[in-house]
Amino acid sequence: MTIRRIVVGLDPRSPGRAALEAAAQLAARLQAELVGLFVEDIDLLHLAGLPFAREIGFPTATLRALDIASMERSLRALAGEVQRTLAAIAGRGPVTWSFRVARGALMSELRAAATEEDIVVTGALRLGLPAPLSVLCSVATRPEHVVPAAAALARSVGGEVEIVLLDGDDAAAARQWEQAARKLLAAQGGGLRLRAVPAESRDGRNKGGSAGGNR
């Protein structure tokens, strides 16, 4: 069993082009399906619904009211732009691709996308920081498939890639997965890190999970 789908998780605040480019190269190499997942962050929509919400226009620096309808239009426009970019990138090589939009909490949607035989590639967990990509996976996706895929991404982007293990409810299985992954990390050399996110962590921050890596 190998990686079947590579899901690129994107939201309005995450750098998307690098993730799309790197994931497309990996999908072509693994003959996997490339899936673009654009998340309409529910927190942004909640913010737009507040009576005092304002936005500053660019480049005019004009202050104007922000409402849910205008935010939804902006999100649709951005999702369309991302889809066109994905189509252009995937069209360069023999890559099967699809695109979908989900509305919800970013981390919850990314977690749901990381199913068996799938990995999620995203820059969204590093909001606002010039940090590398993250690869999200569950314990159902074997570490001997995840670690080489993450290493290929690191070579593609020329920077560090963090593997984020979504623990789920089976702590023993997660520990076994981590132990196997760390052995593989040691054999890969630098450029990879490993972090575990407990099932109760909804926002992508590490609450009690382990952190570490191989530089």
Side-chain angles (χ1 to χ4, degrees):
M1 184 183 297
T2 58
I3 294 172
R4 179 174 56 90
R5 297 191 311 163
I6 298 172
V7 182
V8 187
L10 303 156
D11 85 325
R13 299 168 295 184
S14 64
R17 182 87 191 194
L20 289 172
E21 293 273 9
Q25 292 179 26
L26 182 61
R29 175 178 174 179
L30 299 180
Q31 297 183 326
E33 180 186 0
L34 179 65
V35 180
L37 172 61
F38 183 86
V39 180
E40 295 181 344
D41 194 337
I42 197 68
D43 290 337
L44 289 178
L45 292 167
H46 288 162
L47 174 63
L50 297 175
F52 54 80
R54 298 290 187 273
E55 65 176 347
I56 300 176
F58 179 83
T60 63
T62 303
L63 187 67
R64 55 178 177 257
L66 184 63
D67 57 45
I68 292 177
S70 63
M71 178 63 74
E72 288 179 331
R73 286 194 297 271
S74 296
L75 290 174
R76 285 194 297 269
L78 186 54
E81 180 181 342
V82 171
Q83 184 174 8
R84 289 189 292 273
T85 301
L86 175 62
I89 292 173
R92 298 174 189 165
V95 177
T96 301
W97 68 277
S98 61
F99 181 83
R100 66 185 180 91
V101 177
R103 178 174 294 186
L106 176 60
M107 190 60 192
S108 295
E109 295 298 330
L110 296 180
R111 183 186 292 275
T115 60
E116 186 175 0
E117 301 178 59
D118 296 342
I119 61 173
V120 176
V121 178
T122 183
L125 299 188
R126 295 296 195 179
L127 300 178
L129 297 176
L133 300 176
S134 295
V135 172
L136 279 65
C137 62
S138 70
V139 293
T141 307
R142 296 168 62 178
E144 55 264 38
H145 296 149
V146 175
V147 173
L153 283 172
R155 290 191 295 269
S156 177
V157 300
E160 191 179 70
V161 169
E162 183 176 52
I163 300 170
V164 181
L165 173 63
L166 305 173
D167 281 4
D169 298 320
D170 192 338
R175 285 194 297 271
Q176 292 178 357
W177 198 102
E178 283 190 71
Q179 290 171 0
R182 292 192 187 282
K183 292 180 181 179
L184 293 168
L185 286 173
Q188 285 289 339
L192 298 177
R193 290 183 59 82
L194 174 64
R195 177 162 61 107
V197 177
E200 65 271 14
S201 177
R202 305 289 294 182
D203 56 5
R205 289 175 294 183
N206 189 6
K207 299 178 181 177
S210 64
N214 186 48
R215 293 181 179 270

